[in-house]
């Protein structure tokens, strides 16, 4: 018998070495190396996925390659279509990660049942057929082209795939699969890498789209080697606070579209409901005037959204003032406070400052700066800003209000939701015609002008 070959793999990044090492030279993490068996049985090579008509590899000239039109399937879920870049691409490999219990399995079971006329195979290594049936009954969606397989061995999975010939494959989850070519336990680095490679070969050779649902680590990264994210075509992150009803599907990597898109869902008792107009759920419906609240016009991907910025400025009772931000970059908040201190003469250095983006989402668009600044000033002066005012502008270190991109879309969204005024930078391109709008556009140049206008 041949000697069993083993190697040490970093559980954080997948780095391989022949002997145990305390610190990973790739990701600099300590005590992450685990010994795994890597011996491959040669006869088992016959059991991995093989197409009946494999293409012989050969070198070709780029000009000789015939371009094919990109085929996409539009799903009934408009939010999923947006995040994928316009629908499901044939032969694509999509990896979806998220917290336990966030709704990954529910989302893709629901979408698979909604795809009428497409033969779908749902492979589960975590749940029984009865559990999946209970969830499907809760969703109240029927589909006679939907098939289940509760199996973890890739050898058995590919045998069933050859019999059924599905048009779409969903695997829940990739960490439960086990390839007979690798002797280590399911969920190990070598197993995840091998099973994902087999699924990649199957997807590309048969032009069948495959969705891989994956676990995440305690740090929020997708569990397994980093090479897993490089192998797939698209990486989606399903996120949200379990104390809120809203979930966000965000694109991290996409070879077929933009990585700036996001889809918003509401978790209900009958599955996930698409939120087509997120501005209505991110803005509080109130009539009274409250201090420390301002509305920002931001853009995520191709979608304009209005979000509510909440600020609380209080006298510090400790030696060092607190700076806390939820949904906003803390360093950018400190920068805006320094601008107000230097350019406006406001003494925030002795104040505790708390900032929150309502709705539990995180915004990185710099156009939210002006709304953050106005919310801070409103709480500082304890004077409310009208809930019919909206803000879109980036604030520079010299106190100037800088222009932001796609201002027409931001203004149109604010006008659609019934706002009276929108405050923008006066440095926008000349020639923009605002005369036909039902909303007043207020161009401003500096922070001091904003303060004089509002307070």
């Amino acid at each position: 018998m041949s000697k069993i070959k083993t190697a040490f793999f970093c559980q954080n990044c997948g780095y391989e070495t022949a002997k145990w090492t305390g610190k990973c030279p790739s990701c600099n993490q300590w005590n992450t190396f685990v010994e795994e068996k890597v011996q491959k049985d040669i006869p088992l090579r016959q059991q991995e996925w093989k197409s009946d008509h494999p293409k012989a590899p050969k070198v070709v000239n780029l000009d000789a390659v015939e371009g094919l039109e990109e085929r996409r399937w539009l799903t009934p879920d408009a939010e999923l279509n947006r995040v994928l870049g316009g629908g499901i691409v044939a032969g694509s490999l999509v990896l979806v990660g998220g917290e336990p219990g966030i709704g990954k399995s529910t989302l893709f079971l629901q979408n698979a049942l909604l795809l009428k006329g497409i033969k779908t195979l749902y492979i589960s290594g975590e749940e029984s057929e009865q559990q999946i049936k209970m969830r499907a009954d809760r969703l109240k969606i029927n589909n006679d082209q939907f098939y289940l397989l509760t199996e973890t061995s890739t050898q058995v999975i590919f045998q069933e795939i050859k019999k059924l010939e599905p048009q779409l494959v969903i695997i829940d989850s990739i960490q439960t699969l086990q390839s007979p070519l690798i002797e280590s336990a399911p969920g190990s680095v070598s197993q995840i890498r091998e099973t994902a490679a087999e699924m990649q070969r199957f997807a590309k050779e048969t032009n069948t789209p495959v969705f891989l649902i994956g676990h995440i680590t305690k740090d929020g990264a997708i569990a397994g080697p980093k090479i897993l994210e490089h192998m797939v075509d698209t990486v989606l992150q399903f996120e949200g606070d379990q104390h809120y009803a809203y979930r966000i599907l965000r694109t991290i990597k996409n070879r077929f579209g933009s990585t700036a898109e996001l889809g918003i869902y509401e978790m209900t008792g009958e599955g996930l409901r698409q939120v087509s107009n997120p501005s209505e759920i991110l803005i509080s419906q109130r009539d009274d005037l409250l201090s420390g609240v301002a509305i920002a016009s931001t853009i995520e991907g191709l979608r304009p959204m209005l979000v509510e910025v909440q600020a609380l400025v209080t006298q510090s009772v400790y030696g060092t003032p607190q700076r806390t931000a939820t949904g906003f970059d803390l360093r950018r908040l400190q920068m805006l406070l320094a601008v107000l201190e230097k350019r406006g003469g406001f003494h925030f250095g002795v104040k505790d400052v708390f900032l929150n983006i309502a709705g539990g989402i995180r915004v990185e668009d710099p156009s939210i700066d002006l709304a953050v600044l106005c919310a801070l000033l409103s709480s500082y002066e304890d004077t409310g800003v009208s809930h019919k005012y909206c803000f879109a502008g980036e604030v520079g270190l010299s106190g100037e209000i800088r222009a932001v991109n796609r201002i027409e879309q931001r203004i149109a969204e604010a006008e659609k939701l019934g706002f009276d005024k929108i405050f923008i930078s006066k440095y926008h391109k000349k020639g923009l015609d605002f005369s036909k709008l039902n909303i007043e556009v207020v161009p401003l140049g500096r922070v001091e002008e904003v303060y004089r206008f509002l307070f």
Side-chain angles (χ1 to χ4, degrees), residues 25 72 81 85 103 124 147 184 192 196 230 232 257 262 404 406:
R72 290 181 182 265
N81 291 337
S124 177
Y147 297 88
S184 58
I192 294 174
H230 292 286
V232 301
L262 60 81
V404 295
R406 294 158 64 185

Side-chain angles (χ1 to χ4, degrees), residues 3-135:
K3 184 179 179 182
I4 296 177
K5 183 182 177 183
T6 62
F8 291 86
F9 292 91
C10 173
Q11 300 298 296
N12 186 56
C13 67
Y15 183 83
E16 180 180 354
T17 180
K19 61 181 181 179
W20 186 86
T21 306
K23 182 180 180 181
C24 176
S26 177
C27 63
N28 296 324
Q29 296 294 314
W30 287 90
N31 299 322
T32 57
F33 279 95
V34 174
E35 186 178 16
E36 296 178 8
K37 298 177 183 178
V38 294
Q39 182 186 16
K40 295 185 179 181
D41 197 352
I42 300 302
L44 289 176
R45 270 292 176 189
Q46 305 300 324
Q47 298 172 351
E48 67 174 345
W49 171 258
K50 289 290 183 183
S51 175
D52 294 334
H53 304 285
K55 296 180 181 179
K58 60 179 181 178
V59 178
V60 295
N61 188 281
L62 180 62
D63 295 332
V65 178
E66 294 183 7
L68 298 177
E69 185 179 354
E70 189 178 75
R71 293 193 294 118
R72 290 181 182 265
W73 300 343
L74 285 177
T75 71
D77 189 340
E79 300 297 302
L80 182 61
N81 291 337
R82 177 184 292 108
V83 169
L84 292 175
I88 301 174
V89 178
S92 61
L93 192 65
V94 181
L95 176 64
V96 186
E99 292 276 354
I102 204 71
K104 304 183 297 296
S105 301
T106 301
L107 174 65
F108 284 94
L109 177 63
Q110 176 178 311
N111 277 286
L113 290 171
L114 286 171
L115 284 169
K116 308 292 184 180
I118 294 179
K119 189 183 293 186
T120 304
L121 177 60
Y122 188 96
I123 301 167
S124 177
E126 300 177 345
E127 297 176 290
S128 66
E129 297 170 355
Q130 288 73 26
Q131 287 176 295
I132 299 172
K133 175 63 176 175
M134 289 169 59
R135 186 184 294 121

Side-chain angles (χ1 to χ4, degrees), residues 2 56 135 180 223 266 290 298 310 342 352 361 374 408:
S2 60
R135 186 184 294 121
E266 181 184 6
L290 302 176
T298 181
Q310 301 172 342
K342 175 74 174 180
D352 289 339
I361 70 167
C374 292
E408 296 91 344

Side-chain angles (χ1 to χ4, degrees), residues 77-79 106-107 110-111 114 139 238 245-248 263-278 280-281:
D77 189 340
E79 300 297 302
T106 301
L107 174 65
Q110 176 178 311
N111 277 286
L114 286 171
L139 296 174
F238 200 43
Y246 301 106
R247 305 286 188 267
I248 295 175
I264 300 180
Y265 297 89
E266 181 184 6
M267 178 66 80
T268 66
E270 297 181 354
L272 289 153
R273 183 184 69 85
Q274 305 170 43
V275 178
S276 56
N277 189 4
E280 294 180 355
I281 67 169

Side-chain angles (χ1 to χ4, degrees), residues 53-240:
H53 304 285
K55 296 180 181 179
K58 60 179 181 178
V59 178
V60 295
N61 188 281
L62 180 62
D63 295 332
V65 178
E66 294 183 7
L68 298 177
E69 185 179 354
E70 189 178 75
R71 293 193 294 118
R72 290 181 182 265
W73 300 343
L74 285 177
T75 71
D77 189 340
E79 300 297 302
L80 182 61
N81 291 337
R82 177 184 292 108
V83 169
L84 292 175
I88 301 174
V89 178
S92 61
L93 192 65
V94 181
L95 176 64
V96 186
E99 292 276 354
I102 204 71
K104 304 183 297 296
S105 301
T106 301
L107 174 65
F108 284 94
L109 177 63
Q110 176 178 311
N111 277 286
L113 290 171
L114 286 171
L115 284 169
K116 308 292 184 180
I118 294 179
K119 189 183 293 186
T120 304
L121 177 60
Y122 188 96
I123 301 167
S124 177
E126 300 177 345
E127 297 176 290
S128 66
E129 297 170 355
Q130 288 73 26
Q131 287 176 295
I132 299 172
K133 175 63 176 175
M134 289 169 59
R135 186 184 294 121
D137 291 341
R138 192 176 75 244
L139 296 174
K140 298 178 181 178
I141 307 172
N142 296 319
N143 188 345
D144 57 358
Q145 291 291 304
F146 182 83
Y147 297 88
L148 284 177
L149 175 62
T150 54
E151 182 58 55
T152 58
S153 172
T154 56
Q155 178 186 1
V156 179
I157 288 172
F158 287 132
Q159 288 175 355
E160 296 299 320
I161 284 177
K162 288 180 180 178
K163 295 177 188 176
L164 184 64
E165 295 184 351
Q167 297 170 274
L168 174 66
V169 176
I170 300 174
I171 296 173
D172 184 13
S173 65
I174 185 64
Q175 278 82 10
T176 61
L177 294 192
Q178 184 175 18
S179 172
L181 304 177
I182 301 292
E183 295 187 7
S184 58
S188 62
V189 171
S190 52
Q191 278 288 1
I192 294 174
R193 184 166 53 190
E194 181 63 30
T195 53
E198 291 183 22
M199 289 299 164
Q200 182 191 44
R201 288 192 291 269
F202 160 71
K204 301 307 177 185
E205 291 180 12
T206 63
N207 221 22
T208 304
V210 177
F211 284 85
L212 306 176
I213 298 176
H215 301 163
I216 65 170
T217 63
K218 61 182 179 181
D219 298 326
I222 295 177
K226 197 68 176 176
I227 192 174
L228 178 61
E229 297 179 44
H230 292 286
M231 291 169 63
V232 301
D233 299 310
T234 305
V235 180
L236 306 180
Q237 187 84 12
F238 200 43
E239 58 192 40

